[in-house]
Amino acid sequence: MNIRILLSVISLLGSHSFAQNLNNVQFPEMQKATGRKEIRIPGIMGYQTLKCDFHMHTVFSDGMVWPAFRVEEAWAEGLDAISITDHIENQPSKKYVSGDHNTSYELAIDLAKQKNILLIHAGEVTRKMPPGHLNALFLTDTNPLDVPLVQDALQAAKKQGAFIIWNHPGWKAQQPDTCRWWPLHEELFEKGLINGVEVFNEIEYYPIVLDWCISRKLSVICNSDVHGIVSETFDLENGHRPMTLVFAKSRSIESIREAMFANRTVACFDNKLAGKEEFLAALFLASVTVKSIAAYENNNQELFEIKNNSTIPFDIETQQGGKFTILAEASIIMPLVRGELNGITVLNLYTGSQSKLKVDLF
Ligand SMILES: [Zn+2]
Ligand SMILES: [Zn+2]
């Protein structure tokens, strides 16, 4: 018997030694191997691209999970930053869980530090339309936001340097037939009490909000608003939860805050990106490289190798009407006429409610 077989027989006897151990036999192989998924989206313009979700709930409002579990999920999925935004005015489990509006943050922060997840202290101001629901991020104390008047709540947030997001503006429970910017939103916006708007929430996209964000210089925001377990809510096998991509000077909460006030954000959902043209063009060109590798048999075509180093696939339409997909984290070879990669449209990159990114690739 060679030594390797002998060793494996010994280890087999060791791990399943029924004959010797009748008290406790362990089966560690049944445990799920844990690891952090990597989401590859390149940095642009000298900034790091951070993957963030600024909207989720726990048992401290109407969510189903304990706060630290949100950190576990974010770590496993490859996110950089999250904020837990429990409703200030809606706490159906209050009878069973004590604490105040800071408790969900306090119960998650230690694990966040251990897992290197940036946890942003936050809360969701929850009102009828107008103005609907608003998340306040970068708080130090959520309790002062628990006041009768919505203006006072948002001023209390602003006093702490908060970044304020209008959540799910097109949510049918609040605006069944429209997605309207009310006079109250104009008033809040003019007072600096709305700094960003969700163009995407959970599984809903509000194209018109992308136009609002660009014309009013508001940050484009994309969040999960998850109440249950992320892996049971979104298809993580084939994609990711909705995320806001933030272009930050460094991987820190202060840098995220600075970037959000400077509107350096893009929405990322269902393998689509929505945001300002300059950011989408930079992300696309930082992800994709092209080279001509050989002449093609007939006419003036060449074989082009197109590589995509990002997690997002890109759906391309050429000016001539040809369509193809540059797969995620892969390369493809395409026979094309030189110049055909000029003025292409990237069909899954949205620069406005009715416009898509046009760019020269070669
Ligand atoms: Zn809400
Ligand atoms: Zn919410």
Side-chain angles (χ1 to χ4, degrees), residues 6-238:
L6 181 68
L7 282 173
S8 66
V9 168
I10 289 170
S11 79
L12 200 68
L13 287 170
S15 62
H16 300 289
S17 50
F18 298 102
Q20 286 146 24
N21 187 345
L22 302 179
N23 300 317
N24 181 324
V25 182
Q26 306 255 329
F27 290 83
E29 67 273 22
M30 289 178 71
Q31 230 156 24
K32 192 172 172 182
T34 56
R36 176 171 157 91
K37 194 164 150 181
E38 289 300 326
I39 304 172
R40 283 177 221 287
I41 301 178
I44 55 166
M45 303 166 166
Y47 300 112
Q48 292 186 35
T49 299
L50 302 182
K51 286 84 68 182
C52 311
D53 180 5
F54 301 116
H55 193 166
M56 64 196 70
H57 296 272
T58 75
V59 292
F60 286 85
S61 62
D62 56 349
M64 284 168 62
V65 312
W66 193 251
F69 188 71
R70 292 294 181 220
V71 175
E72 289 284 0
E73 290 176 315
W75 177 79
E77 290 169 60
L79 270 63
D80 294 293
I82 58 168
S83 50
I84 296 172
T85 50
D86 279 316
H87 296 289
I88 292 168
E89 298 86 349
N90 178 22
Q91 295 169 304
S93 299
K94 189 74 194 161
K95 194 173 138 195
Y96 309 103
V97 290
S98 59
D100 60 25
H101 299 301
N102 295 320
T103 307
S104 49
Y105 173 82
E106 287 160 2
L107 286 169
I109 186 63
D110 287 347
L111 188 65
K113 283 178 183 161
Q114 289 164 29
K115 297 269 187 184
N116 198 20
I117 294 294
L118 303 170
L119 180 66
I120 295 162
H121 195 150
E124 181 168 11
V125 174
T126 309
R127 306 295 171 120
K128 288 192 192 116
M129 190 68 79
H133 298 189
L134 299 107
N135 277 343
L137 312 184
F138 311 105
L139 298 174
T140 50
D141 182 2
T142 309
N143 292 324
L145 279 62
D146 193 354
V147 288
L149 265 184
V150 71
Q151 287 89 341
D152 294 345
L154 299 179
Q155 287 292 0
K158 195 182 164 161
K159 224 188 250 179
Q160 298 179 35
F163 183 94
I164 300 169
I165 300 164
W166 177 11
N167 301 334
H168 44 71
W171 184 30
K172 285 186 181 295
Q174 290 196 318
Q175 305 220 65
D177 311 312
T178 181
C179 182
R180 173 183 164 206
W181 177 277
W182 297 61
L184 181 55
H185 295 111
E186 191 60 31
E187 182 195 319
L188 297 174
F189 171 67
E190 280 168 10
K191 290 181 178 156
L193 297 173
I194 293 179
N195 311 113
V197 188
E198 283 182 347
V199 304
F200 192 95
N201 173 285
E202 196 189 21
I203 56 161
E204 293 185 349
Y205 176 44
Y206 317 113
I208 195 171
V209 177
L210 181 57
D211 298 339
W212 296 353
C213 287
I214 289 166
S215 66
R216 292 171 196 268
K217 296 192 168 56
L218 288 158
S219 281
V220 169
I221 307 290
C222 175
N223 290 326
S224 72
D225 198 359
V226 67
H227 287 68
I229 296 167
V230 176
S231 61
E232 297 300 308
T233 309
F234 297 101
D235 180 1
L236 301 183
E237 305 272 307
N238 303 301

Side-chain angles (χ1 to χ4, degrees), residues 224-337:
S224 72
D225 198 359
V226 67
H227 287 68
I229 296 167
V230 176
S231 61
E232 297 300 308
T233 309
F234 297 101
D235 180 1
L236 301 183
E237 305 272 307
N238 303 301
H240 312 94
R241 72 166 88 184
M243 295 178 292
T244 304
L245 305 181
V246 176
F247 309 114
K249 288 177 185 165
S250 68
R251 194 180 181 280
S252 70
I253 289 179
E254 190 41 50
S255 284
I256 292 175
R257 186 177 173 279
E258 185 276 330
M260 289 177 80
F261 274 108
N263 303 329
R264 295 198 307 270
T265 60
V266 155
C268 177
F269 55 92
D270 192 33
N271 285 333
K272 294 166 183 60
L273 301 175
K276 264 166 92 174
E277 188 176 359
E278 60 176 304
F279 297 138
L280 298 190
L283 276 172
F284 177 71
L285 294 172
S287 301
V288 175
T289 52
V290 185
K291 69 178 177 202
S292 170
I293 51 171
Y296 199 49
E297 50 192 55
N298 51 26
N299 53 47
N300 48 357
Q301 284 190 323
E302 295 166 58
L303 290 174
F304 286 91
E305 181 187 64
I306 310 175
K307 262 189 202 172
N308 178 1
N309 64 31
S310 93
T311 294
I312 312 285
F314 296 106
D315 299 323
I316 305 297
E317 183 171 25
T318 66
Q319 282 184 337
Q320 292 72 17
K323 285 187 183 177
F324 59 92
T325 298
I326 314 172
L327 301 171
E329 294 175 52
S331 53
I332 59 169
I333 293 175
M334 293 285 300
L336 294 161
V337 177

